[in-house]
Amino acid sequence: MSPFTGSAARTPSWEHLRVDVTDGVATVTLARPEKLNALTFGAYADLRDLLAELSRERSVRALVLAGEGRGFCSGGDVDEIIGATLSMDTAQLLDFNRMTGQVVRAVRECPFPVIAAVQGVAAGAGAVLALAADFRVADPTARFAFLFTRVGLSGGDMGAAYLLPRVVGLGHATRLLMLGDAVRAPEAERIGLISELTEEGRADEAAGILARRLADGPALAFAQTKALLTAELDMPLAASVELDASTQALLMTGEDYAEFHAAFTEKRPPKWSGR
């Protein structure tokens, strides 16, 4: 995403999220623990806009998405979203569904790694948000449920039918999206839905440690790796190899590449600049 901005000022505070940025690591917390962090229209819009701002500012090198309390995110709020959408016309419904998809695109397209710290339920839209992240760090209480067919909607919501087969394979994705059954942590780890399984109550801590490791690393290399992983999902091999070659040629002119060689020669750890 381009770092250039227009006339809009930086958002001074976020009404529907709790946001902390410290030394290159952003921690974004869904903070409605009394409702298992169910999403509202405002929370979706804030996530979309926050990710766009952080992508432009280039001050964040890793982001942790977490939920306060005993769950990660139970999906869209039944009253504030599902109830409200029953009175919307088709144009309004399309606007809403496009907005939820924009959140997923923002997670996939932002130039820094996103880590979902999952404890308890990650259901519906919450499961897709975790799925869209680059890493899913979860504790044994985590359970993922793609519930869309359970409410009479397509299981392919917010890009789930695109992302999930690429993470767990078509067979598992078909079962999860069709039936909407909950997948608990041991099975989620077995099929590749969890990147790291922690001890109970340690998901936030482990996600923070991973975020720190990523933030201290070669940010530009991570950003380009993420971009290639997303772009090449739909490319033939020849196009992928050519894109890899062009990307590597550009990175080889960067400061971090030269810094690695200098550090190796001088027998010291590299000092990554992200350039």
Side-chain angles (χ1 to χ4, degrees):
M1 184 175 292
S2 170
F4 299 104
T5 60
S7 303
R10 186 177 189 272
T11 306
S13 62
W14 299 92
E15 180 180 350
H16 305 284
L17 306 168
R18 190 166 67 245
V19 181
D20 174 76
V21 180
T22 303
D23 195 20
V25 174
T27 302
V28 179
T29 306
L30 307 173
R32 300 180 76 208
E34 72 284 357
K35 292 203 170 185
L36 290 175
N37 303 313
L39 296 165
T40 62
F41 293 114
Y44 277 118
D46 271 3
L47 276 171
R48 176 199 62 196
D49 297 344
L50 170 65
L51 287 164
E53 282 196 14
L54 294 178
S55 296
R56 287 193 300 269
E57 290 176 359
R58 302 293 172 93
S59 59
V60 166
R61 294 189 171 201
L63 183 146
V64 175
L65 180 62
E68 182 179 334
R70 57 192 177 88
F72 174 71
C73 175
S74 59
D77 188 285
V78 173
D79 295 320
E80 295 192 37
I81 288 188
I82 296 178
T85 53
L86 292 174
S87 61
M88 290 183 177
D89 61 28
T90 303
Q92 292 171 314
L93 291 169
L94 185 56
D95 284 341
F96 165 64
N97 283 283
R98 281 176 171 162
M99 176 177 68
T100 64
Q102 287 165 359
V103 175
V104 170
R105 285 190 59 186
V107 174
R108 293 302 316 143
E109 294 173 4
C110 62
F112 43 78
V114 176
I115 305 154
V118 182
Q119 79 287 337
V121 66
V128 183
L129 285 178
L131 173 65
D134 301 290
F135 300 89
R136 285 159 297 283
V137 176
D139 81 0
T141 68
R143 59 190 188 279
F144 301 83
F146 298 87
L147 296 173
F148 306 107
T149 60
R150 297 286 187 95
V151 301
L153 297 176
S154 164
D157 194 48
M158 298 171 63
Y162 177 90
L163 292 170
L164 192 58
R166 288 162 168 82
V167 173
V168 303
L170 180 60
H172 290 306
T174 300
R175 172 172 58 93
L176 300 183
L177 295 182
M178 285 277 193
L179 301 178
D181 291 342
V183 181
R184 297 189 178 274
E187 182 186 3
E189 183 184 32
R190 178 178 62 81
I191 65 177
L193 189 53
I194 288 176
S195 310
E196 178 183 349
L197 184 61
T198 74
E199 296 178 2
E200 187 167 344
R202 302 289 295 274
D204 287 350
E205 178 186 354
I209 292 170
L210 177 57
R212 182 73 269 149
R213 176 183 175 185
L214 291 164
D216 289 342
L220 186 57
F222 291 153
Q224 292 306 307
T225 301
K226 176 173 180 172
L228 292 181
L229 283 167
T230 298
E232 293 182 18
L233 288 172
D234 299 312
M235 284 186 180
L237 177 60
S240 295
V241 169
E242 180 61 24
L243 182 58
D244 287 352
S246 300
T247 301
Q248 296 296 55
L250 288 171
L251 290 178
M252 284 175 176
T253 68
E255 294 178 15
D256 279 350
Y257 187 64
E259 166 61 15
F260 166 77
H261 184 265
F264 181 84
T265 302
E266 297 167 14
K267 296 180 172 54
R268 60 172 175 79
K271 300 175 182 177
W272 306 113
S273 65
R275 296 182 176 86

